[in-house]
């Protein structure tokens, strides 16, 4: 393979580039799949930017797997999995959970005693 082929992808951009090259697609083809500009795909693949969480469900479908390391044995990991699989921002997640967005920081709930954990069952 070409030297720019990511044999062991580490970033989400590496994963996207590897899949695109495996499928023999051009960046413009992938841009159409995600409904973004070709430049956006270039930035993702070159790790100049990352897809917004809004795009994560589409990224996961495109790749055929979840490229994120998520510990589903922890509450934090289940929150992150729920957000990533559903493309939810911190603010949108907090609204669904019925908590203040300021209590959701880096995928964890801060000082929330009555969190509706049943909404996260299965994640």
């Amino acid at each position: 393979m070409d030297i720019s082929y990511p044999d062991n992808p580490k970033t989400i951009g590496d994963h996207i580039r590897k899949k695109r090259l495996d499928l023999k697609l051009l960046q413009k083809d992938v841009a159409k799949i995600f409904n973004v500009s070709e430049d956006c795909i270039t930035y993702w693949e070159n790790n100049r930017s990352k897809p917004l969480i809004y795009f994560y469900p589409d990224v996961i479908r495109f790749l055929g797997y979840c490229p994120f390391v998520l510990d589903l044995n922890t509450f934090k990991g289940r929150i992150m999995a729920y957000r990533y699989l559903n493309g939810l921002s911190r603010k949108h997640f907090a609204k669904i959970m019925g908590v203040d967005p300021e209590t959701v920081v880096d995928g964890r709930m801060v000082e929330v005693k009555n969190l509706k954990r049943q909404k996260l069952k299965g994640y």
Side-chain angles (χ1 to χ4, degrees), residues 72 74 77-79 81-83 85-86 119-123:
L72 299 180
T74 67
R78 289 190 302 275
I79 288 173
Y82 186 85
R83 288 186 55 217
L85 295 174
N86 292 286
K119 288 188 179 182
L120 293 175
K121 282 188 180 173
Y123 286 94

Side-chain angles (χ1 to χ4, degrees), residues 7-114:
D7 286 315
N8 298 305
K10 293 179 178 29
T11 67
I12 191 167
D14 292 343
H15 285 277
I16 292 169
R17 180 174 181 75
K18 183 178 189 304
K19 183 68 170 188
R20 178 180 66 78
L21 294 172
D22 289 346
L23 295 174
K24 298 180 179 12
L25 296 174
L26 300 173
Q27 287 179 333
K28 68 179 179 179
D29 301 323
V30 177
K32 287 179 187 173
I33 291 169
F34 291 110
N35 197 28
V36 297
S37 69
E38 189 175 338
D39 286 341
C40 189
I41 300 300
T42 301
Y43 286 176
W44 292 354
E45 289 187 0
N46 291 328
N47 299 305
R48 291 181 66 191
S49 68
K50 296 189 316 186
L52 296 173
I53 197 167
Y54 168 83
F55 290 106
Y56 286 6
D58 293 331
V59 169
I60 292 167
R61 272 190 295 281
F62 175 71
L63 296 174
Y65 61 89
C66 181
F68 308 105
V69 177
L70 300 168
D71 182 1
L72 299 180
N73 294 315
T74 67
F75 188 51
K76 176 183 176 180
R78 289 190 302 275
I79 288 173
M80 294 306 295
Y82 186 85
R83 288 186 55 217
Y84 287 10
L85 295 174
N86 292 286
L88 299 175
S89 68
R90 182 177 57 87
K91 184 177 179 179
H92 192 174
F93 174 76
K95 183 176 180 180
I96 290 170
M97 297 305 291
V99 297
D100 186 309
E102 295 303 315
T103 63
V104 182
V105 180
D106 295 332
R108 58 189 162 82
M109 303 303 290
V110 179
E111 301 294 325
V112 177
K113 306 243 189 251
N114 297 318

